[in-house]
Amino acid sequence: NSLNFDGRMVLLAFLGGAKLNDFNMANILRKRLTIMGSTLRARSLEYKTKLINDFTNDFLTSFQEEKIKPVVHKVLDWTDVVQAHEMMEANLNQGKIVLTIE
């Protein structure tokens, strides 16, 4: 429901689990959606290095100029890592949970 017509979704992980109950695939066809899945775990160090370099070259300036802003749900001290994991496990966050080290 969150994707518009011709929308694209990229899945990189399954924090909430990999199985869906009572999922209706009709919207995928009706809205002409594209869904792509991947993982970085099985990728080579060379691939990951290229990915970081490409991201830096293509997007870092836009982040620095705040043309693109990350969605941050909450910033916590690293000692609150248990609280951060509990928030993720309960699916309470919308955006990144950032841990800081002072």
Side-chain angles (χ1 to χ4, degrees):
N1 290 334
S2 63
L3 293 176
N4 204 348
F5 285 89
D6 298 313
R8 290 178 285 174
M9 178 189 299
V10 178
L11 301 171
L12 294 175
F14 296 111
L15 287 177
K19 296 182 180 182
L20 300 173
N21 294 326
D22 301 318
F23 179 72
N24 184 348
M25 292 182 48
N27 276 341
I28 295 172
L29 299 177
R30 187 172 53 81
K31 290 183 168 185
R32 301 178 307 273
L33 303 179
T34 301
I35 300 173
M36 182 175 75
S38 186
T39 180
L40 293 176
R41 289 180 191 260
R43 297 290 191 144
S44 68
L45 180 59
E46 292 79 19
Y47 177 88
K48 293 176 189 179
T49 301
K50 183 180 179 328
L51 188 66
I52 292 169
N53 290 335
D54 289 349
F55 176 84
T56 301
N57 293 333
D58 295 342
F59 297 105
L60 186 59
T61 302
S62 294
F63 277 102
Q64 291 169 332
E65 295 172 356
E66 296 188 353
K67 293 177 182 175
I68 300 174
K69 295 181 182 180
V71 177
V72 177
H73 176 76
K74 193 161 191 168
V75 177
L76 299 168
D77 188 79
W78 73 272
T79 58
D80 295 322
V81 67
V82 172
Q83 179 186 353
H85 275 277
E86 288 172 348
M87 282 192 303
M88 286 190 294
E89 290 167 9
N91 202 24
L92 297 176
N93 61 303
Q94 292 183 355
K96 299 297 181 186
I97 299 171
V98 178
L99 298 178
T100 59
I101 300 173
E102 300 287 332

